Every structure is written in C-alpha cells, then in structure tokens.
Amino acid sequence: MCHSSKAHADSSPPIRPLMVLCLAIATMGPSCEKLGKDPGPMTDESRQFERARLVEDHIIPSGVSDPRVLAAMARVPRHRFVPEGYASMAYLDEPLPIGHGQTISQPSLVALMVQALSLKGREKVLEVGTGSGYQTAVLAELVPHVFTIEIVEPLAKQAEVMLTELGYLNVTIRVGDGYQGWKEEAPFDAIIVTAAPDHVPEPLLTHLVVGGRMILPVGRVIQDLLLITRTKEGYQRTNVATVRFVPMTGEATEGPEKP
C-alpha cells in the first residue's frame, strides 16, 4: 500500500522475460488453473508478457533476485486485484487506489518486502493488511499457508472472493485490527505489515519464532522499511529502504504500550 525509492540493482545477470515465464510455468502455483477465466478485455496470455516485462524492467533492477519470488511475481495476475478502471495500468510499477482510502503497493516493493523474509517454502506467515489480496497471493505462491488480517471489512471480503476464485485455498482471512496480531495462530516464522504504525507493535514482535523475520514500515508520512529478526538475545533491526505507506489505523494510533 505504498511506494518507495528504488533499491540498488543486483549484480547478477539480468533474467529475460521468457526465462521468467518458463520458470513460472515450470513451477505453477494455484493461480494458473484459473487465469484463463479473466473477464477483462485483454487475454491473460497477453498480460503474462506484461508481467514478464514488469519483472525484467522494474523488479529485478530494484534488487530482487530470489528466483522463487520472481516466478511468483510473474504468475500472480495483478490486474485481477485492482478496480476495473485501473486494470490497464496493473503492470505499471506504481501503487494504485483500491478504494476506502487504501492502495495496492507497487510490484517492485511487494517483491522486495517478500524477498526480505527469505522464505524457503515451509514457513507459517502472518500478513497484517490484506488490502486487495495481491501481496497475499504472492505469499500464497511461496508458503503452505498465509494468515492475513484486514481492518476494512469490504476489502477483506473482496480479497477473499478473488483469492478463492483464483484458487488460493491456502489463505485464511480475518477481519479486524492487526496491531495485536493473531494470538490463536502464533507464533509465525514471518510477518509482513502493509500499513505504517509510528512505532513497532510489541505484540507482533512476540509473535515471531526465534530466527523469524518481520518487515514493516515505521514512521509518519515518510517511513523506514524495517526488517526485524528475532534472535535468542533479542531483536536485530535493519533499515531496508525509505517508503511511504498509508498509516496503520485502529490500536496503532493510540501509541506504544506503557511499561
């Protein structure tokens, strides 16, 4: 739900669009069976090449090199997660409005955040801020199950319908305030937050397993994108980028917990 400054390009050789498509097809995720049902004016085949071009021209230069993340970005049909009036713009590397004062994040930033979690395919993931469900779908391509929380009920319902229609059955959506996380399902190997609190929510830190990672924007107006790793001794924090997300609402606006 934001945009960011571009990261430095990776030094590895560029991946060509057709190579990305071959990788995507070779490792088909749950979305592939449904893609032919796109009701839009463009066929999904033509949009596949738009996704491949997006990967080559924007996502790889932003510093994303994980082949699993690149393949997921080449597979997930972003045009299905934006309002119909913006479908033609779906493969621009830009945030787009999705209603209710929210936006769908630019694809290069989605990929950068997901890559930062270092997902290997076995992790239990919590997403705070489902939004349109686009980033949820990318995560669902990579791990066995995604738990995701959305405070805006109409967005949560729309995302659930679309994710189900596209075949992502390894997603559980909850309507509610994500500040406290999901106690019943904790702990998690990875947590990703798509709206910006002005401080790191303490409950989310406690939801991480030792060795687990959380990425989230922190700050007002312009934020630091923080990667937090839980260790046996505590938490390590790394500033990944400067970003601009919509603010986290609900309990996050009340300030950090008092000791």
Side-chain angles (χ1 to χ4, degrees), residues 65 149 155-156 165 167 171 176 221:
S65 58
I149 306 172
L155 286 180
E165 184 176 334
V171 173
V221 186

Side-chain angles (χ1 to χ4, degrees), residues 21 23-38 44-45 48 51 68-81 91 133-143 161-171:
L21 284 178
L23 180 59
I25 293 170
T27 56
M28 280 187 176
S31 63
C32 296
E33 296 178 1
K34 303 281 187 175
L35 294 185
K37 298 182 179 180
D38 178 17
D44 188 69
E45 183 179 356
Q48 273 191 332
R51 289 196 293 277
R68 297 180 69 245
V69 175
L70 294 175
M73 298 301 296
R75 281 195 300 266
V76 177
R78 189 174 188 246
H79 62 285
R80 299 295 298 275
F81 293 94
Y91 298 107
Y134 172 64
Q135 184 170 263
T136 317
V138 173
L139 291 166
E141 292 275 354
L142 300 171
V143 298
V161 168
M162 182 54 62
L163 289 164
T164 301
E165 184 176 334
L166 291 173
Y168 291 103
L169 304 182
N170 58 331
V171 173

Side-chain angles (χ1 to χ4, degrees), residues 204-246:
L204 296 183
L205 290 174
T206 64
H207 276 17
L208 281 175
V209 300
V210 173
R213 293 183 166 207
M214 174 167 65
I215 190 161
L216 77 166
V218 178
R220 301 178 186 272
V221 186
I222 303 296
Q223 301 103 20
D224 293 326
L225 184 63
L226 298 182
L227 176 64
I228 301 175
T229 303
R230 186 170 190 176
T231 69
K232 292 180 180 179
E233 294 75 28
Y235 299 91
Q236 295 179 345
R237 303 188 184 199
T238 302
N239 194 340
V240 177
T242 300
V243 294
R244 179 178 291 176
F245 278 76
V246 297

Side-chain angles (χ1 to χ4, degrees), residues 74-127:
R75 281 195 300 266
V76 177
R78 189 174 188 246
H79 62 285
R80 299 295 298 275
F81 293 94
V82 301
E84 185 176 351
Y86 291 95
S88 64
M89 303 169 63
Y91 298 107
L92 299 177
D93 192 36
E94 300 290 343
L96 296 172
I98 56 173
H100 306 279
Q102 305 297 307
T103 59
I104 182 174
S105 296
Q106 67 194 72
S108 62
L109 185 54
V110 169
L112 188 67
M113 291 178 71
V114 172
Q115 175 176 262
L117 296 176
S118 298
L119 301 173
K120 305 302 181 186
R122 304 176 299 275
E123 295 85 357
K124 184 178 182 181
V125 176
L126 173 65
E127 178 187 45

Side-chain angles (χ1 to χ4, degrees), residues 12-29:
S12 58
I15 298 179
R16 311 306 300 175
L18 288 179
M19 292 175 62
V20 173
L21 284 178
C22 289
L23 180 59
I25 293 170
T27 56
M28 280 187 176

